């Protein structure tokens, strides 16, 4: 079986997690195939260091994503990869005191050399110094991320590919990451002021003119809320797939089912929606592979490095 054939069998089975996974692939294929649908991806959690970087980059490059809403951390980890640093396979059973002494940061069982963030700060300073003072005085996070992407040469970078393809990367909590704190330390020296309303305008400029809107939500948090609340200005999304490990019982948005979003006009009644309870690093590659196969766009082998 191919991945697409396997998920088609799961959809035909129709029940429990397998049924949801199969239906999710069909919904994603629908939104990717709909020429009048603007597709947005929201990212929360360690997805770039967790291996999803090339999948997201390829979807942007194929013209299948029209906007990304993400945490600052995923932007940062894409940037340090683009600057030549690598995430390494570690262990959950780490000696964290020893890692601190060796200047290694741990994300679950992923390791990253702290030197990466020192290099990032130096690079950010150089890029900011190149921008005209009037631009630095009022710039949205999305515009700043675009400027960063235009100065990257890594063809595997999400940020660089999005900048080249004109796909906005919206980071509503950009200050809540390594780069955000580094930018704060440089802000007075270089006259940098971030404009959060500019981020909202970047998102709305793509979302509001679309005849239909599709959402792919990986994890929850601020990216999920920011993207879904924006859809209330057009009475909700037409397609939505979320992959989450969070629970609905505490009432938080991260674990909220997509059906609940109908009451807030974030999702339209009758929309194609599927919630998949799974680690996104497991489910997302399977859904994307099956959706592309359904569309007849099976690609070559992934890049391995």
């Amino acid at each position: 079986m191919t991945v697409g054939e396997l998920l088609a069998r799961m959809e035909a089975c129709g029940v429990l997690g397998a049924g949801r996974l199969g239906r999710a692939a069909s919904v994603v294929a629908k939104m990717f195939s709909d020429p009048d649908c603007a597709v947005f991806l929201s990212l929360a959690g360690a997805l770039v260091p967790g291996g999803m970087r090339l999948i997201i980059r390829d979807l942007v490059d194929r013209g299948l994503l029209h906007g990304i809403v993400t945490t600052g951390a995923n932007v940062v980890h894409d940037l340090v990869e683009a600057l030549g640093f690598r995430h390494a396979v570690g262990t959950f059973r780490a000696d964290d005191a020893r890692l601190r002494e060796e200047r290694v940061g741990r994300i679950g069982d992923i390791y990253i050399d702290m030197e990466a963030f020192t290099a990032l700060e130096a690079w950010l300073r150089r890029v900011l110094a190149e921008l005209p003072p009037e631009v630095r005085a009022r710039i949205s996070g999305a515009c700043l991320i675009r400027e960063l992407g235009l100065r990257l040469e890594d063809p595997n970078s999400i940020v660089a590919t999005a900048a080249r393809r004109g796909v906005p990367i919206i980071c509503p909590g950009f200050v809540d990451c390594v780069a955000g704190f580094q930018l704060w330390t440089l802000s007075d020296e270089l006259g940098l002021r971030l404009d959060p309303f500019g981020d909202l305008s970047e998102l709305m400029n793509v979302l509001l003119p679309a005849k239909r809107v599709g959402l792919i939500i990986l994890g929850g948090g601020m990216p999920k809320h920011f993207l879904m609340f924006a859809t209330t200005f057009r009475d909700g999304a037409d397609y939505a797939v979320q992959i989450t490990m969070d629970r609905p019982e505490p009432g938080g948005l991260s674990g909220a089912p997509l059906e609940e979003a109908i009451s807030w006009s974030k999702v339209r009644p009758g929309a194609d929606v599927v919630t998949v309870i799974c680690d996104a690093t497991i489910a997302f590659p399977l859904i994307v592979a099956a959706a592309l196969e359904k569309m007849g766009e099976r690609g070559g082998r992934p890049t391995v490095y």
Side-chain angles (χ1 to χ4, degrees):
M1 284 185 178
T2 64
V3 174
E5 290 167 346
L6 175 61
L7 266 67
R9 296 288 183 89
M10 290 180 172
E11 184 176 14
C13 175
V15 297
L16 303 179
R20 288 172 178 260
L21 195 64
R23 288 196 299 277
S26 290
V27 173
V28 169
K30 282 183 183 179
M31 63 176 89
F32 282 168
S33 301
D34 185 344
D36 294 322
C37 180
V39 181
F40 296 86
L41 175 69
S42 81
L43 306 170
L47 296 178
V48 169
M52 302 295 98
R53 186 178 188 235
L54 287 177
I55 299 174
I56 297 166
R57 179 264 172 208
D58 287 351
L59 291 177
V60 172
D61 197 47
R62 287 172 183 251
L64 296 174
L65 294 179
H66 303 88
I68 296 174
V69 181
T70 181
T71 58
N74 280 304
V75 172
V76 164
H77 288 281
D78 181 77
L79 292 177
V80 295
E81 288 263 350
L83 294 177
F85 294 89
R86 293 291 177 263
H87 296 85
V89 177
T91 175
F92 278 98
R93 299 180 178 179
D95 181 343
D96 288 287
R98 179 180 174 185
L99 291 179
R100 174 172 169 160
E101 291 176 358
E102 296 178 357
R103 290 186 50 76
V104 173
R106 180 169 71 88
I107 312 162
D109 58 356
I110 306 161
Y111 291 173
I112 180 74
D113 191 329
M114 289 296 179
E115 178 60 29
F117 305 116
T118 303
L120 175 64
E121 182 173 8
W123 181 75
L124 288 173
R125 178 187 287 274
R126 291 197 299 272
V127 172
L128 287 173
E130 294 175 6
L131 298 178
E134 63 271 19
V135 173
R136 295 196 301 262
R138 183 176 180 181
I139 186 170
S140 69
C143 183
L144 177 56
I145 292 169
R146 185 181 301 115
E147 292 290 343
L148 298 178
L150 293 173
R151 290 164 172 79
L152 294 172
E153 298 181 359
D154 179 9
N156 294 322
S157 166
I158 299 169
V159 172
T161 304
R164 177 169 54 83
R165 296 283 290 179
V167 175
I169 296 179
I170 314 297
C171 189
F174 195 33
V175 294
D176 183 26
C177 68
V178 170
F181 278 84
Q182 290 174 339
L183 292 172
W184 169 73
T185 67
L186 301 172
S187 60
D188 286 341
E189 174 189 345
L190 297 174
L192 175 68
R193 293 295 182 268
L194 291 180
D195 174 17
F197 289 143
D199 287 324
L200 194 51
S201 295
E202 291 256 5
L203 178 58
M204 291 300 191
N205 287 343
V206 182
L207 187 147
L208 291 180
K211 291 183 179 179
R212 284 178 289 280
V213 166
L215 312 178
I216 302 172
I217 301 164
L218 308 184
M222 185 183 288
K224 177 183 177 182
H225 182 267
F226 195 82
L227 176 57
M228 294 195 76
F229 197 83
T231 67
T232 65
F233 285 79
R234 60 176 311 278
D235 294 326
D238 303 276
Y239 309 95
V241 168
Q242 73 168 343
I243 306 171
T244 183
M245 293 285 285
D246 291 303
R247 300 290 306 162
E249 287 84 0
L253 183 72
S254 293
L258 293 172
E259 290 78 8
E260 179 183 293
I262 294 172
S263 69
W264 293 91
S265 297
K266 297 173 182 176
V267 170
R268 295 187 177 189
D272 282 338
V273 299
V274 183
T275 294
V276 178
I277 307 300
C278 190
D279 179 337
T281 64
I282 299 170
F284 185 55
L286 295 174
I287 290 170
V288 169
L292 294 181
E293 185 177 330
K294 188 180 287 285
M295 297 165 60
E297 290 195 16
R298 289 173 63 187
R301 295 184 181 275
T303 304
V304 177
Y305 58 88

